Amino acid sequence: MPSSIHHYTLMILFFVLEISVSSAAKYKRPKPTALLFPISKDTKTLQYYTTLDISKQENSVQLVLDLGGPHTWLNCDANELRRYKSIRCGSQKCAKYNTLDNKCCNRPFTPGCTKGACAVYSYNAYIFGPVSLGLREDALFAVDTNGVSAGAPYQAPKPFPFTCSDSDLLRGLANGTKGMTGIANTTTSLPAQITTQFELPHKFALCMPSTSEYAPGHMFVGRGPYFFPPYLKDIANELIKTQLVVNPLSTAPVYHTGDPSYDYFINVKSIKVDHKPISFNSSLLFINEEGYGGTTFSTLTPFTKLDTSIYESLVSAFTKAAALRKMKRVSSVAPFGACYKAKSVARSQTGPVVPYIDIGLAGSKKDWRFYGVNSMVSVNEEVLCLAFVDIGQFPRTSIVIGGHQMENYLLEFDLDSSNLGISTSLLLQDTTCSQSREMQ
């Protein structure tokens, strides 16, 4: 349980976040060094979502975070359609988007796609089908941060573009959410729009929570520092760094021939269980000339997915190491392949005490370690399972790191230097994924 101090500081944070835009607009302030967006987790769908204040702060919308999404789309009612300004086809703003060939809506396919509007492909990854939506824009407000405290809202210097959908496109999304906001490596993503408008470094960092019961996680857009209680050090100075690599062939559902992927890829050099490398075809770790292989990240994938050969090798090595720790194996619970009696597994501050899983990152002398809180999942009160799943043989991408493995770490995506930074230490729930102006 969080301490009383945590409850107090959290109340302060939300009080600050609710400062009215009108009062903030009365004062001229220097441009922010970074902007802060909350991240919550829906326990039913295991989706992560943030809140955007569009048009006015009272018009807050909750949108599912899509690390592979190119831009923002949301469900718009009739009043909103009239209020939001339509972006014309043939305009410079329209040209930045992955549009239809003629880039124009010639008939109302969906709300917002009126004649003459910029026609943009948008899609809900949970139901796949991309649809043509009209591009619109309005004011966006975001809270600034200095890495220590949260401040008052800033209005973006220019209108924020997004596409409008009808309610049918919301199928499969967490209850209460109204669309998706893309944070992929595109010029139209939320971080790219924010950093460009505020003239900030092109980087963002995620601290994704394992639960939102007591406090949200956060997305920082801009720069560090990153301070989290009770740690006194700037986590930006303690990141494991590895290079972001480009898959030359698109992995998106809609693309033009020759487009590279806008997913975030890295090179993994090894996987170890209790310090021992597991054996598999190492060529799977690298992207080949046909765009297959490599390692990417997905906020829409609850648990890390592995090529069959990598998965089977990991389960085999983990099972042997678990037996040495006297962990009692039980029948598997789909989709997981290695499950254990919960009472046979000890507990610590970092979750279940199980064999360590270390991911060796290219160019780094330090491995990214998954402790029990990230490597195991509780399927019920009596059973814990290894939180990795089999993606099948010869998938497009060999390793897709899912949300469960990213939780409680700070991941910084630096597009200026093409680096990914990962916190060296596990950021434990209830102590680090929320900020407060009280932490000085």
Side-chain angles (χ1 to χ4, degrees):
M1 294 292 291
S3 66
S4 59
I5 293 178
H6 246 85
H7 281 298
Y8 173 74
T9 56
L10 184 60
M11 289 173 62
I12 292 291
L13 172 61
F14 283 109
F15 174 76
V16 173
L17 293 178
E18 291 173 359
I19 294 175
S20 69
V21 173
S22 59
S23 63
K26 295 179 181 179
Y27 304 96
K28 289 185 178 181
R29 295 176 291 160
K31 71 177 183 180
T33 57
L35 294 161
L36 187 67
F37 296 86
I39 300 178
S40 299
K41 182 178 181 179
D42 180 71
T43 55
K44 182 177 180 180
T45 61
L46 304 183
Q47 295 170 8
Y48 307 90
Y49 58 91
T50 190
T51 301
L52 296 190
D53 296 317
I54 297 176
S55 183
K56 54 184 178 180
Q57 196 174 23
E58 291 77 11
N59 189 33
S60 297
V61 291
Q62 294 178 337
L63 303 172
V64 173
L65 273 176
D66 184 0
L67 197 52
H71 57 265
T72 297
W73 65 265
L74 54 95
N75 175 229
C76 305
D77 61 27
N79 290 330
E80 290 167 335
L81 282 174
R82 285 190 290 268
R83 182 171 68 242
Y84 299 147
K85 180 183 176 182
S86 178
I87 296 177
R88 304 290 295 179
C89 59
S91 65
Q92 290 183 346
K93 292 180 180 179
C94 181
K96 294 181 179 180
Y97 287 77
N98 191 358
T99 62
L100 296 172
D101 290 339
N102 60 12
K103 301 182 180 179
C104 292
C105 293
N106 294 319
R107 61 185 179 85
F109 297 100
T110 58
C113 202
T114 53
K115 186 175 182 179
C118 178
V120 176
Y121 279 125
S122 300
Y123 60 94
N124 173 349
Y126 295 102
I127 58 175
F128 184 72
V131 296
S132 172
L133 300 178
L135 190 62
R136 294 188 174 244
E137 64 182 5
D138 209 325
L140 175 69
F141 298 89
V143 173
D144 74 320
T145 180
N146 58 7
V148 178
S149 60
Y154 274 81
Q155 180 176 343
K158 298 179 181 179
F160 177 69
F162 52 88
T163 58
C164 275
S165 78
D166 58 18
S167 59
D168 187 57
L169 200 57
L170 300 180
R171 288 179 294 143
L173 300 187
N175 187 37
T177 60
K178 290 189 63 177
M180 306 181 79
T181 186
I183 55 177
N185 187 11
T186 64
T187 59
T188 56
S189 70
L190 174 63
Q193 298 274 9
I194 291 292
T195 55
T196 299
Q197 289 200 25
F198 284 99
E199 298 180 343
L200 299 173
H202 192 187
K203 66 172 66 176
F204 68 95
L206 301 176
C207 185
M208 293 164 52
S210 55
T211 176
S212 303
E213 183 178 358
Y214 303 118
H218 283 295
M219 176 171 66
F220 302 83
V221 177
R223 58 169 66 88
Y226 312 116
F227 286 97
F228 297 89
Y231 304 112
L232 301 178
K233 296 181 180 180
D234 176 10
I235 291 177
N237 297 325
E238 300 185 346
L239 300 177
I240 307 169
K241 297 290 185 70
T242 189
Q243 185 178 10
L244 289 169
V245 297
V246 176
N247 186 331
L249 298 181
S250 178
T251 51
V254 178
Y255 62 93
H256 296 102
T257 301
D259 285 351
S261 174
Y262 45 66
D263 285 313
Y264 299 101
F265 281 85
I266 60 171
N267 284 331
V268 167
K269 60 185 181 182
S270 66
I271 300 176
K272 302 173 186 175
V273 175
D274 270 354
H275 308 290
K276 297 179 180 180
I278 66 173
S279 178
F280 56 88
N281 183 355
S282 60
S283 67
L284 294 171
L285 299 178
F286 303 97
I287 302 169
N288 66 22
E289 59 185 13
E290 296 178 345
Y292 282 77
T295 298
T296 191
F297 298 80
S298 174
T299 51
L300 305 185
T301 300
F303 306 100
T304 292
K305 299 187 293 187
L306 304 171
D307 174 275
T308 296
S309 63
I310 302 175
Y311 176 79
E312 291 178 346
S313 183
L314 175 66
V315 170
S316 176
F318 188 90
T319 300
K320 293 176 182 177
L324 296 176
R325 292 173 181 255
K326 309 300 183 183
M327 293 168 55
K328 295 183 179 179
R329 193 168 181 181
V330 297
S331 299
S332 298
V333 178
F336 309 110
C339 298
Y340 298 87
K341 187 175 182 180
K343 290 184 178 180
S344 70
V345 182
R347 293 273 179 170
S348 72
Q349 190 181 19
T350 55
V353 180
V354 299
Y356 299 124
I357 297 176
D358 292 321
I359 306 297
L361 304 174
S364 175
K365 294 181 180 180
K366 292 185 178 180
D367 293 342
W368 181 11
R369 170 161 291 182
F370 294 146
Y371 295 88
V373 68
N374 293 92
S375 63
M376 305 297 288
V377 58
S378 176
V379 296
N380 57 52
E381 293 182 355
E382 298 180 351
V383 177
L384 290 171
C385 295
L386 182 62
F388 295 78
V389 297
D390 186 351
I391 197 176
Q393 289 185 316
F394 312 116
R396 178 65 188 273
T397 303
S398 301
I399 301 175
V400 180
I401 297 177
H404 189 73
Q405 278 66 45
M406 290 188 273
E407 289 174 353
N408 302 315
Y409 285 96
L410 183 82
L411 279 73
E412 181 188 70
F413 296 83
D414 186 342
L415 283 307
D416 285 332
S417 61
S418 295
N419 281 326
L420 171 70
I422 304 171
S423 58
T424 55
S425 57
L426 186 68
L427 306 180
L428 299 179
Q429 181 61 33
D430 300 335
T431 60
T432 56
C433 261
S434 64
Q435 284 201 321
S436 168
R437 65 183 304 172
E438 289 293 293
M439 300 306 300
Q440 302 294 334

